Amino acid sequence: MSINKGLFTSTTDLWETPQDFFDVLHSEFNFETDVCALPENAKCETYYSPDDNGLNQEWRGTCWMNPPYGRKIGEWVKKAYESSLNGATVVCLLPARTDTAWWHDYCMKGEVRLVRGRLKFGGSKWNAPFPNAVVIFGERAKVDTLKAM
């Protein structure tokens, strides 16, 4: 049995959101802004491209975020969380990296929906080599808090 080494490496940290997956969430949240997109894969009419640098923008309303999955992902998740403190709702498609500091520092403060199976990102031949989660920050998040007994 041979293993395709291409499944475990990537030449990019940009993973285009599958349209059908986005459509289900869009019907629930009615997104206004895609805070991290390329012109050819933006999911909303209003979007921030790398030239706009979404990290330097003010996020308002209901936002969709599928950030680059590289070393700066923690900065994007922090921005999503902090934007929610200022009134935005930010719905994030993220790799489910539950062992990372950014996951514990921010994602655990939002609503976490684990994605069953592996997504096939736009333009990809294969399913992602990692599990995903949708993390929701803001008033529309349903967060259950555990209370000490």
Side-chain angles (χ1 to χ4, degrees), residues 36-123:
C36 187
L38 297 173
E40 61 271 16
N41 68 18
K43 299 300 179 196
C44 301
E45 189 173 318
T46 301
Y47 65 92
Y48 302 134
S49 71
D51 291 338
D52 302 316
N53 190 351
L55 289 173
N56 291 332
Q57 306 299 322
E58 185 174 348
W59 299 359
R60 298 178 189 206
T62 306
C63 302
W64 170 253
M65 183 183 83
N66 179 9
Y69 286 10
R71 295 183 187 269
K72 291 191 171 209
I73 193 169
E75 294 176 40
W76 287 95
V77 177
K78 178 182 178 186
K79 173 77 173 186
Y81 172 72
E82 290 175 349
S83 295
S84 75
L85 299 179
N86 292 319
T89 295
V90 185
V91 179
C92 314
L93 176 58
L94 302 169
R97 295 190 178 137
T98 61
D99 59 337
T100 62
W102 57 263
W103 184 274
H104 284 268
D105 292 346
Y106 304 108
C107 296
M108 297 297 292
K109 296 175 183 174
E111 176 186 350
V112 176
R113 299 179 185 178
L114 298 175
V115 176
R116 184 176 185 164
R118 301 286 172 102
L119 291 176
K120 183 180 277 188
F121 287 90

Side-chain angles (χ1 to χ4, degrees), residues 7-22:
L7 289 175
F8 301 102
T9 63
S10 177
T11 57
T12 182
D13 61 358
L14 303 174
W15 296 81
E16 182 182 343
T17 305
Q19 189 64 49
D20 58 340
F21 186 84
F22 174 82

